[in-house]
Amino acid sequence: MIYLSSLIIDGGVPLCGVVHVQGAKNSALPILAASLLADGECIIENCPDISDTHTAVEILDSLGCRTELCGDYISVNPQYADGFVIHDTLMRKMRSSIIFLGSILARRHHARVSFPGGCDIGTRPIDLHLSALSKMGVEFSESHGYLDCRTRGLKGADINLTFPSVGATENVMLSAVRADGTTTIRNAAKEPEIIDLQGFLNAMGADVSGAGTGTIVIRGRKSLGPVRYRIISDRIAAGTYMCAVAAAGGSVLLKNIDCGALWSTTAILRDAGCTVEEHADMLRIESDGMTQTDSSGVIRTMPYPGFPTDMGSPMVAAMCLARGTTVFVETIFENRYKYVGELLRMGARIRTDGRVAVIDGVRRLYGARVEASDLRGGAALVVAALAAEGQTVINNAEYIERGYEHIDRVLSDLGADIKYA
Ligand code: UD1
């Protein structure tokens, strides 16, 4: 078997220093999709340098945008973008490519996309996206693995989501800003990245209100202007580094964060015995490796403001070293425990049954050869490897590169012994 990229970590070193947390992946992707709606060049600052952002830029290029990556900002000029097809290879690379559907429809009234791919953590259907768009006047037909989507003109509609899907909320927002009339989304997702998308769209001249609550109202506009915008920081990357400190021990200051958006992760790690001091836009976490503390009972993933599903895997890895038993319930995706088999190779004691994982804390984890099989599961292996005795080799590290900017450098700067093979 040839692995594209592997991370080698010699664990057991406490982490000390400062992390300037990257911009949010889950803001960058919908905001890059939104830039397609502008009449001129948009500049998006604080974009993370990760492979998912590069895939989003490839999609924009394939649609005819002029794009430029410069340090931590990306400029997008969609003035001559007349494409309406997202090729199967790009759709398969990441699930969020489906978010481009709303913008392409708003711009071209015609889009052709294949069904999205991405991390294999569950079936991940797009029925909520499609039924909402059909209420807005979009007709769908399927042929040769592609979905052909056409509208004679998007019109405002009342959309009641049966689940507060992040992607469906974003797709409706992206199409409704250029629709004729008013759209109301009920049971909308409340994630901070939805508020960020509203911020970007309104900076372009859109009329969106209510993001962060269950009801979002969008009044359609004929045109949207170019804008320069700075996206929020990545609460999942921040939370992952918190779990790494919790498990490996040490003292780390996280900068460029929103403490409020991290509340559920902070609460669990405090219960597990970590010290967390919060300041305006930074936070210090200290831990002696969690072995002396009790774990925090039942942890259940929920839509925001609940504990995020994306934090589940790194948190399970940290809880492997907490004293006592932690019960973990994954309520959002049905197939998120693939990495557990790899943690077992490292000496963890975890039983899974469907959406439930029961973790009995151990005193030590041991380095082993393991394989990442999705982005956050890969991050869990990094957390475990940093705390483990001896060397861990994580194969398929390209999954981790989808969401964590220069993870080797960030962790080396904290004193970890980590390198790419
Ligand atoms: C987004 C995030 C992802 C996070 C997830 C949940 C981005 C780029 N990705 O993904 O990191 O894990 O939110 O917080 O922002 N569902 C349906 N039908 C649909 C759409 C979704 O049944 O049409 C189900 C999904 O299968 C899943 C649940 O709803 O069980 C949540 O999915 P959703 O909120 O849409 O997640 P994503 O937008 O894909």
Side-chain angles (χ1 to χ4, degrees):
M1 174 87 72
I2 299 169
Y3 296 106
L4 292 178
S5 121
S6 301
L7 273 172
I8 302 176
I9 299 175
D10 278 277
V13 183
L15 303 173
C16 293
V18 178
V19 176
H20 185 87
V21 176
Q22 68 187 64
K25 167 175 99 67
N26 289 354
S27 275
L29 302 178
I31 284 175
L32 284 167
S35 67
L36 195 58
L37 299 171
D39 289 339
E41 184 192 30
C42 288
I43 295 180
I44 303 152
E45 297 175 3
N46 203 28
C47 273
D49 184 8
I50 52 175
S51 58
D52 270 15
T53 337
H54 296 168
T55 304
V57 169
E58 268 185 76
I59 292 174
L60 289 168
D61 287 341
S62 76
L63 295 170
C65 295
R66 276 208 305 268
T67 59
E68 202 182 328
L69 279 77
C70 238
D72 81 340
Y73 75 80
I74 297 180
S75 90
V76 181
N77 191 336
Q79 246 170 333
Y80 304 105
D82 56 2
F84 60 90
V85 182
I86 305 183
H87 198 269
D88 186 53
T89 45
L90 292 170
M91 288 299 291
R92 279 180 190 275
K93 267 195 191 174
M94 71 173 183
R95 176 177 169 80
S96 329
S97 39
I98 195 66
I99 300 169
F100 284 81
L101 179 57
S103 319
I104 300 173
L105 280 168
R107 191 177 172 90
R108 301 280 286 119
H109 290 184
H110 182 197
R112 194 177 300 144
V113 297
S114 71
F115 285 92
C119 286
D120 180 14
I121 54 176
T123 52
R124 310 191 83 175
I126 54 167
D127 55 314
L128 298 173
H129 301 240
L130 303 188
S131 69
L133 290 170
S134 84
K135 275 195 147 184
M136 299 179 70
V138 182
E139 288 173 3
F140 301 99
S141 61
E142 253 186 271
S143 67
H144 305 288
Y146 276 83
L147 190 64
D148 202 64
C149 320
R150 286 173 194 267
T151 177
R152 288 198 191 89
L154 291 162
K155 52 184 190 330
D158 274 357
I159 310 289
N160 299 306
L161 294 176
T162 49
F163 181 87
S165 156
V166 173
T169 302
E170 291 167 344
N171 243 334
V172 175
M173 288 168 79
L174 291 168
S175 40
V177 284
R178 291 275 293 269
D180 188 14
T182 299
T183 299
T184 305
I185 313 174
R186 294 201 174 77
N187 199 23
K190 298 176 188 155
E191 269 67 3
E193 294 77 18
I194 301 280
I195 303 177
D196 212 19
L197 179 59
Q198 170 179 283
F200 181 77
L201 292 169
N202 285 346
M204 292 167 94
D207 183 351
V208 186
S209 59
T213 75
T215 306
I216 300 177
V217 179
I218 306 126
R219 291 181 183 81
R221 287 269 186 273
K222 286 270 172 285
S223 70
L224 299 173
V227 67
R228 188 176 187 115
Y229 188 85
R230 186 173 178 81
I231 64 168
I232 59 171
S233 80
D234 196 310
R235 63 199 164 96
I236 307 300
T240 302
Y241 293 126
M242 290 172 76
C243 288
V245 178
S251 172
V252 167
L253 183 67
L254 298 179
K255 286 187 164 177
N256 180 38
I257 57 155
D258 172 2
C259 293
L262 280 164
W263 79 270
S264 54
T265 299
T266 301
I268 293 168
L269 292 176
R270 272 190 181 137
D271 280 353
C274 299
T275 305
V276 183
E277 274 173 39
E278 295 171 283
H279 306 279
D281 60 351
M282 55 179 123
L283 166 162
R284 175 172 293 282
I285 177 161
E286 287 179 356
S287 159
D288 60 5
M290 295 216 322
T291 47
Q292 303 307 310
T293 61
D294 282 323
S295 73
S296 38
V298 180
I299 301 171
R300 198 179 289 271
T301 62
M302 297 292 273
Y304 193 83
F307 179 69
T309 174
D310 287 351
M311 275 307 302
S313 322
M315 188 59 84
V316 164
M319 287 298 159
C320 287
L321 290 161
R323 200 168 69 186
T325 300
T326 308
V327 177
F328 210 90
V329 187
E330 167 56 50
T331 73
I332 311 288
F333 293 107
E334 68 271 24
N335 194 16
R336 268 221 129 139
Y337 291 133
K338 281 191 175 169
Y339 63 96
V340 164
E342 307 301 296
L343 289 180
L344 296 182
R345 289 168 181 257
M346 301 177 72
R349 289 184 58 203
I350 308 173
R351 285 158 289 151
T352 57
D353 186 0
R355 290 170 181 256
V356 178
V358 179
I359 306 148
D360 292 315
V362 293
R363 292 187 68 79
R364 267 187 199 83
L365 293 171
Y366 299 95
R369 281 191 93 82
V370 290
E371 274 180 33
S373 54
D374 66 82
L375 163 58
R376 305 301 170 187
L381 300 179
V382 172
V383 168
L386 291 167
E389 244 180 58
Q391 189 172 83
T392 300
V393 178
I394 306 175
N395 294 320
N396 291 340
E398 59 277 7
Y399 280 112
I400 301 166
E401 292 155 21
R402 290 191 48 193
Y404 295 89
E405 178 176 271
H406 312 306
I407 195 167
D408 55 330
R409 274 190 248 156
V410 171
L411 290 167
S412 299
D413 286 350
L414 299 179
D417 188 342
I418 175 171
K419 57 178 187 286
Y420 276 105

